[in-house]
């Protein structure tokens, strides 16, 4: 799924999605982290939340750098805005 489709359409909260893109920012602490992912289809980034308890390869993902290409599959959680 393209990030543009997520912002343009009316995706359902809690639906499973898969996106591919490049890391724009990556902020990680001991147990969780945030990735801003962009696939070039839209000017806004998609925020990905990663948790050590949930993600089997958390340590590997946390070591990635800006510009790394990732494929992310997870549950879409809508924010109020």
């Amino acid at each position: 799924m393209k990030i543009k489709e997520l912002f343009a359409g009316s995706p359902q909260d809690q639906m499973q999605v898969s996106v591919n893109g490049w890391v724009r920012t990556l902020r990680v602490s001991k147990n969780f982290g945030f990735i801003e992912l962009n696939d070039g289809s839209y000017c806004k980034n998609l925020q990905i939340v990663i948790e050590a308890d949930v993600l089997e390869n958390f340590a590997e993902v946390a070591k990635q750098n800006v510009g790394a290409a990732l494929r992310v599959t997870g549950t879409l959680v809508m924010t109020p805005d």
Side-chain angles (χ1 to χ4, degrees), residues 6-75:
L6 293 174
F7 282 99
S10 54
Q12 296 180 7
D13 194 33
Q14 303 297 316
M15 72 184 245
Q16 291 292 310
V17 297
S18 291
V19 293
N20 302 314
W22 294 272
V23 175
R24 295 297 183 204
T25 64
L26 177 64
R27 300 175 312 277
V28 180
S29 70
K30 184 178 180 180
N31 297 317
F32 66 95
F34 299 96
I35 300 170
E36 294 284 329
L37 195 72
N38 192 292
D39 64 2
S41 68
Y42 195 59
C43 59
K44 291 186 179 182
N45 300 325
L46 183 65
Q47 180 174 279
I48 311 294
V49 178
I50 57 173
E51 298 175 273
D53 300 359
V54 178
L55 188 60
E56 195 173 289
N57 61 342
F58 178 85
E60 181 182 349
V61 173
K63 292 179 186 177
Q64 299 303 309
N65 294 315
V66 170
L70 298 178
R71 174 177 291 158
V72 179
T73 300
T75 305

